Amino acid sequence: MKLEYRKAETGDISTLVHMLADDELGATREDTSEPLNPSYVDVFHEIERDANNELTVVECEGALVGMLQLTFIPYLTHTGSWRCLIEGVRIASGQRGKGLGTEMFRWAIARAKARGCSIVQLTSDKQRPEALRFYESIGFSATHEGFKLKVTDSKPTR
């Protein structure tokens, strides 16, 4: 199976939102109504403008089968280094269990190395035990405890 990686395009947004919504957790937090919620388009363009963010889609035989977002973050720690944060990883439901995730992560880690990152990190919801097992199977370690605070009704101050 030959995977092709490319930068996400505006025309992909609706498909990506549906992919994000295609599991128990995503179904409760994504808005798949049509017309598409304009917040998705606004944030897509913010990601597109940010040189340290890459929203990547994965295609196989012309079909969009996966997605992930890479965020490159400079840190003073670790002797002033860069990290790559991998988020928003999804594989189309009909394509799961075929090894695409492993291939996507190989690609993402190679991309992080090419950008000079010394650490690749990710978060995964504790309600996704299969995902947690998968990340450990490809070499990630749960070395830290993560915390999140949901802030509602916040508006950007830019």
Side-chain angles (χ1 to χ4, degrees):
M1 177 180 321
K2 181 161 177 13
L3 301 180
E4 302 284 333
Y5 299 85
R6 66 170 172 80
K7 182 179 172 183
E9 300 168 350
T10 306
D12 298 322
I13 299 172
S14 182
T15 302
L16 298 178
V17 169
H18 281 84
M19 197 177 290
L20 288 168
D22 189 22
D23 68 23
E24 281 183 30
L25 297 177
T28 64
R29 64 180 177 220
E30 303 304 338
D31 177 5
T32 59
S33 63
E34 296 292 334
L36 191 63
N37 185 318
S39 294
Y40 289 115
V41 176
D42 294 345
V43 167
F44 175 84
H45 291 303
E46 289 291 331
I47 293 167
E48 206 173 33
R49 282 190 285 274
D50 185 342
N52 288 319
N53 267 290
E54 296 179 3
L55 183 57
T56 300
V57 297
V58 184
E59 294 179 326
C60 182
E61 298 175 8
L64 201 154
V65 296
M67 64 178 289
L68 50 79
Q69 182 173 340
L70 305 179
T71 302
F72 302 99
I73 310 164
Y75 278 84
L76 284 176
T77 62
H78 293 265
T79 322
S81 66
W82 283 80
R83 294 181 191 200
C84 176
L85 174 65
I86 302 175
E87 288 286 330
V89 178
R90 291 293 187 283
I91 295 174
S93 58
Q95 300 296 319
R96 295 177 189 150
K98 298 180 179 180
L100 274 69
T102 301
E103 291 303 315
M104 287 170 53
F105 270 85
R106 276 193 194 120
W107 178 88
I109 292 165
R111 180 75 187 116
K113 287 179 181 178
R115 285 279 308 248
C117 296
S118 61
I119 295 174
V120 175
Q121 61 190 37
L122 56 85
T123 62
S124 186
D125 197 296
K126 290 180 179 183
Q127 296 176 72
R128 289 190 166 113
E130 320 78 40
L132 299 174
R133 282 191 299 275
F134 168 72
Y135 295 133
E136 287 178 341
S137 78
I138 61 171
F140 284 83
S141 299
T143 60
H144 292 69
E145 188 73 26
F147 296 88
K148 294 192 179 191
L149 173 65
K150 195 166 199 166
V151 182
T152 55
D153 298 326
S154 61
K155 301 291 181 217
T157 57
R158 296 183 206 57

